[in-house]
Amino acid sequence: MKLAFRIASRFLLSSRGQTILILTGIIIGVSVQVFIGSLIDGLQKSLVDSTVGSSSQVTIESVERNQTFPLSDDLLADLDRRSDLTAVSPVFSASAFMVDDEATWPVLMRGFDFARAEPIYKTEAQLAAGRLPAGTGEVLLGTGLAELTGYTVGDTLMVLTPSGDTRDLLISGIFDLKVASLNETWLLSDLATTQALFAAGDEVSAVEMQVEAVFAADETASLLADSLPADLKVTDWKVENEQLLSALSGQSASSYMIQVFVLLAVLLGISSVLAISVVQKSRQIGILKAMGIRNRTSRQIFLIQGFLLGLIGALAGVGLGLGLSAVFSTFVRNADGMPLVPFYFDPVFVSLSFLIAVAAATVSSMIPAGKSAKLNPIEVIRNG
Amino acid sequence: MADIIRLEKISKTYGTKVKTQVLFDIDLAFAEQSFNAIIGQSGSGKSTLMNIIGTLDQPTRGEIWINQIRTTDMNADQLASLRNETIGFIFQFHYLLPEFTVMENVLMPWRIRGLPVIKEVRDRAEELLDTVGLSKVHNNLATALSGGQQQRTAIARALINQPKIVLADEPTGNLDSATTDTVYQLLRQINRKMKTTFIIITHDKRVAEQADRIVEIKDGRIEMDVRNPI
């Protein structure tokens, strides 16, 4: 093996131009593969994040539609203890009207414990003006609704419930959730204020949660469902976003296809260059065999060349691919200055790409290696 | 002196559809430590005979004993080991490895043997290079040498494993007459000093006349086999 390595590395070094050419091929191939893989991965992560990153990923609701249910302290404490959940936020939602002397606007009142809801909705970051409600009797207004009604921070608005109760609430801030329909219809207040407004006691309409592993939300949901009373059900974002998921898996599939074909092109490149190399070095292989080198060793000479090319090419290729991804996310930005696709480094994907490239390079040298093993020294010696 | 190489009824036929027989029932033996010349015209079959003696080619019929070992039933690996340990080759076209230096080329058969290059071996390589007059260029790449230097490197390489037999096929075919003389003096000197058996194919009558024995091959048969009285 040592001798084969010595000869293989010397062969590679002596045909420097050829080695650089094939290395460049591998580096470009592997870097394109890593770049595309990371890009698609990053794109999907950012897509999922923008779709469900700021909303409930797993939700406990009553089995019956629009029914509230009592949330026991024990259940809440149990949910808080679970390590697969990153945020647990009870919420009370109900339809109402915002009224003044001239007009009426339909709204959805949503009551949160703002401390608990913050990891899910990042409300504070989405405030266009003012501050979060500090105590009971305060409310946040969407930018759309603020425009429609002309209300602003510090004003008092009146809410009318379906049962005819009214209540004045002080506007502590204005939010912008970047979704027009929500900005025009939502009123956010604290849980106690909302429950009191609708005379709901301690009941909630849902418990909204975020999970540690976004794509395993369905598994977390089904685990949760097992431990809940029969009148409660658990839904997860995957059920509600089937179209997105199918788009993502379609995207993944096309990304895999591109990666496979890029890799295949690299393999064919290595294989053909090494096949030429066997012909070029047949004189040397022939004389080595005349001197007593074994067929196994002459095979190893080309396998090791494939391995070395793969190793160096994959290392540099992975580096270049990640570099390209970083450059892409740094310089290709949206109008708001955020990266179009955020840089995403998945160590598992990158290590796998590296290992596959090295293994594939070694495997693709098997045909030339076989030729080298079969080469009969007499052919070289007889023909000069 | 015992025979180190023995050929029994060696025949060689090339081709499957159109058969060309190049060797016809050759019986031949070479004594240990002898210096032999094989002569013959182009196409007479002498190179084929040499390749068969060197186990690089297999006879169609007949048997070969090298160093009292029957080679007929040996597999490729066993033949490779036999070649590595028992036979040194010197070819007409030098066949050095251009990727390696002179010293590395000389040490190659030793490395193929799978043994570590200890100081003693390196000293032996230096001594061989000194003998062939190349001690000053041992770190040069093989391609940086003249034809004569390359051939002398090939001689040093053929001797590094201290083989019992050296097979040389027109070792001076590409060299001028002065260099040819130097190389033959060298081979003869090595034959005397190291007791190595030499079998040399040559066109050069003057060289053949200095050998202990001359075997002439004509049309695949032994035409003449004479022992030199001197």
Side-chain angles (χ1 to χ4, degrees):
Chain A
M1 197 69 146
K2 207 173 142 195
L3 177 68
F5 185 84
R6 181 187 284 265
I7 297 172
S9 51
R10 196 61 69 89
F11 276 4
L12 287 177
L13 285 175
S14 68
S15 325
R16 208 160 296 158
Q18 200 167 306
T19 305
I20 290 172
L21 204 66
I22 182 66
L23 268 181
T24 312
I26 301 173
I27 291 169
I28 292 176
V30 172
S31 65
V32 165
Q33 193 239 332
V34 167
F35 175 62
I36 290 180
S38 298
L39 194 73
I40 300 286
D41 254 17
L43 197 65
Q44 298 200 341
K45 289 276 185 296
S46 99
L47 208 60
V48 169
D49 196 48
S50 59
T51 311
V52 293
S54 295
S55 63
S56 177
Q57 292 158 353
V58 175
T59 311
I60 300 174
E61 292 167 310
S62 169
V63 173
E64 285 177 50
R65 223 174 131 70
N66 293 334
Q67 273 292 317
T68 56
F69 60 92
L71 175 65
S72 68
D73 289 344
D74 285 349
L75 178 55
L76 193 59
D78 276 350
L79 294 174
D80 281 337
R81 268 197 298 274
R82 295 187 66 109
S83 61
D84 51 352
L85 300 176
T86 54
V88 178
S89 165
V91 54
F92 184 95
S93 308
S95 299
F97 296 98
M98 184 174 153
V99 293
D100 68 9
D101 300 339
E102 292 153 17
T104 304
W105 299 273
V107 293
L108 180 71
M109 280 291 297
R110 288 178 61 79
F112 301 119
D113 174 340
F114 278 96
R116 284 176 169 277
E118 192 57 27
I120 304 178
Y121 292 103
K122 290 104 186 162
T123 328
E124 185 133 36
Q126 319 221 37
L127 278 180
R131 55 168 175 76
L132 291 180
T136 55
E138 292 189 343
V139 73
L140 291 178
L141 192 66
T143 47
L145 196 56
E147 252 175 62
L148 275 175
T149 58
Y151 281 75
T152 185
V153 180
D155 294 346
T156 304
L157 59 80
M158 184 188 282
V159 174
L160 169 67
T161 69
S163 56
D165 297 328
T166 57
R167 168 125 195 228
D168 288 339
L169 297 169
L170 174 73
I171 300 169
S172 71
I174 292 172
F175 64 81
D176 178 8
L177 294 179
K178 307 264 191 303
V179 182
S181 62
L182 305 187
N183 287 344
E184 285 173 12
T185 54
W186 280 19
L187 285 182
L188 305 182
S189 186
D190 69 297
L191 190 58
T193 305
T194 323
Q195 283 169 333
L197 180 61
F198 291 90
D202 285 338
E203 299 215 332
V204 297
S205 23
V207 180
E208 299 185 333
M209 288 162 286
Q210 283 204 336
V211 291
E212 185 72 47
V214 180
F215 283 95
D218 47 349
E219 289 161 34
T220 310
S222 77
L223 277 176
L224 266 179
D226 294 341
S227 62
L228 289 178
D231 58 338
L232 296 181
K233 65 170 182 179
V234 184
T235 57
D236 64 84
W237 73 273
K238 291 175 90 170
V239 177
E240 289 153 13
N241 290 279
E242 268 183 56
Q243 273 190 325
L244 171 70
L245 279 171
S246 97
L248 289 184
S249 66
Q251 202 178 40
S252 295
S254 56
S255 151
Y256 293 144
M257 289 295 281
I258 295 171
Q259 292 180 45
V260 164
F261 281 109
V262 168
L263 208 61
L264 205 63
V266 171
L267 293 196
L268 291 175
I270 299 175
S271 199
S272 57
V273 169
L274 285 179
I276 293 167
S277 168
V278 171
V279 178
Q280 287 173 332
K281 306 287 183 193
S282 58
R283 217 175 137 101
Q284 285 89 320
I285 296 293
I287 195 68
L288 282 165
K289 283 194 173 181
M291 288 193 290
I293 211 168
R294 295 183 172 211
N295 289 344
R296 198 182 52 217
T297 313
S298 74
R299 176 180 286 119
Q300 284 169 353
I301 290 172
F302 286 88
L303 286 178
I304 290 172
Q305 287 188 66
F307 172 76
L308 286 176
L309 287 169
L311 187 73
I312 298 166
L315 264 178
V318 162
L320 182 65
L322 289 176
L324 276 176
S325 308
V327 166
F328 190 82
S329 65
T330 311
F331 293 106
V332 183
R333 287 175 179 272
N334 281 322
D336 64 358
M338 294 294 285
L340 185 64
V341 178
F343 177 65
Y344 178 69
F345 172 70
D346 178 355
V348 176
F349 165 71
V350 170
S351 331
L352 211 62
S353 301
F354 173 77
L355 289 178
I356 288 174
V358 177
T362 314
V363 169
S364 71
S365 64
M366 276 167 94
I367 296 173
K371 279 202 176 116
S372 163
K374 279 201 200 111
L375 191 135
N376 191 345
I378 194 70
E379 286 165 25
V380 178
I381 285 150
R382 200 185 292 144
N383 300 330
Chain B
M1 206 68 75
D3 290 339
I4 191 153
I5 296 166
R6 192 150 55 87
L7 309 182
E8 278 186 8
K9 298 263 173 291
I10 293 294
S11 292
K12 178 71 182 177
T13 306
Y14 285 115
T16 45
K17 282 183 184 158
V18 181
K19 294 190 175 180
T20 315
Q21 187 161 3
V22 290
L23 293 177
F24 297 84
D25 293 331
I26 302 259
D27 284 308
L28 195 58
F30 294 99
E32 239 176 298
Q33 303 180 21
S34 58
F35 196 92
N36 311 278
I38 297 181
I39 57 172
Q41 289 184 336
S42 289
S44 59
K46 57 187 192 310
S47 286
T48 303
L49 180 66
M50 182 71 104
N51 290 333
I52 287 174
I53 295 172
T55 75
L56 294 170
D57 206 352
Q58 277 72 47
T60 315
R61 276 195 316 276
E63 295 197 335
I64 306 144
W65 275 264
I66 307 267
N67 202 16
Q68 279 79 50
I69 305 165
R70 186 167 170 267
T71 63
T72 315
D73 300 324
M74 291 173 104
N75 64 26
D77 283 350
Q78 289 168 325
L79 287 175
S81 294
L82 176 78
R83 279 200 297 276
N84 178 256
E85 289 164 22
T86 319
I87 306 173
F89 289 95
I90 305 168
F91 298 101
Q92 183 176 1
F93 301 104
H94 323 318
Y95 288 121
L96 296 182
L97 301 174
E99 295 85 0
F100 291 85
T101 65
V102 168
M103 183 54 128
E104 287 169 330
N105 265 287
V106 171
L107 287 171
M108 193 52 79
W110 185 263
R111 292 196 202 274
I112 290 174
R113 204 167 183 171
L115 300 173
V117 179
I118 50 173
K119 188 175 176 300
E120 192 194 329
V121 179
R122 198 166 282 277
D123 287 348
R124 189 194 307 159
E126 302 259 12
E127 196 188 320
L128 283 169
L129 283 172
D130 204 32
T131 311
V132 297
L134 291 175
S135 46
K136 281 186 185 151
V137 294
H138 70 235
N139 281 328
N140 289 20
L141 274 182
T143 43
L145 303 183
S146 71
Q149 286 176 319
Q150 288 193 28
Q151 194 58 295
R152 283 182 278 151
T153 308
I155 293 169
R157 183 182 66 184
L159 295 168
I160 187 71
N161 279 358
Q162 297 173 314
K164 293 200 158 182
I165 306 162
V166 167
L167 301 179
D169 189 354
E170 307 262 16
T172 54
N174 283 337
L175 305 178
D176 61 57
S177 62
T179 321
T180 300
D181 249 13
T182 319
V183 168
Y184 273 109
Q185 291 312 321
L186 191 62
L187 296 181
R188 192 76 223 207
Q189 185 192 331
I190 291 160
N191 162 249
R192 292 201 177 108
K193 196 167 126 193
M194 299 186 181
K195 314 284 184 213
T196 313
T197 308
F198 276 80
I199 300 174
I200 297 167
I201 290 184
T202 180
H203 270 112
D204 196 326
K205 277 244 157 62
R206 287 181 306 133
V207 170
E209 279 160 10
Q210 291 173 35
D212 299 332
R213 181 181 172 194
I214 304 169
V215 178
E216 186 182 359
I217 307 285
K218 192 177 178 190
D219 299 331
R221 294 186 170 86
I222 297 172
E223 172 83 1
M224 180 188 82
D225 187 351
V226 291
R227 279 158 223 270
N228 205 330
I230 47 161

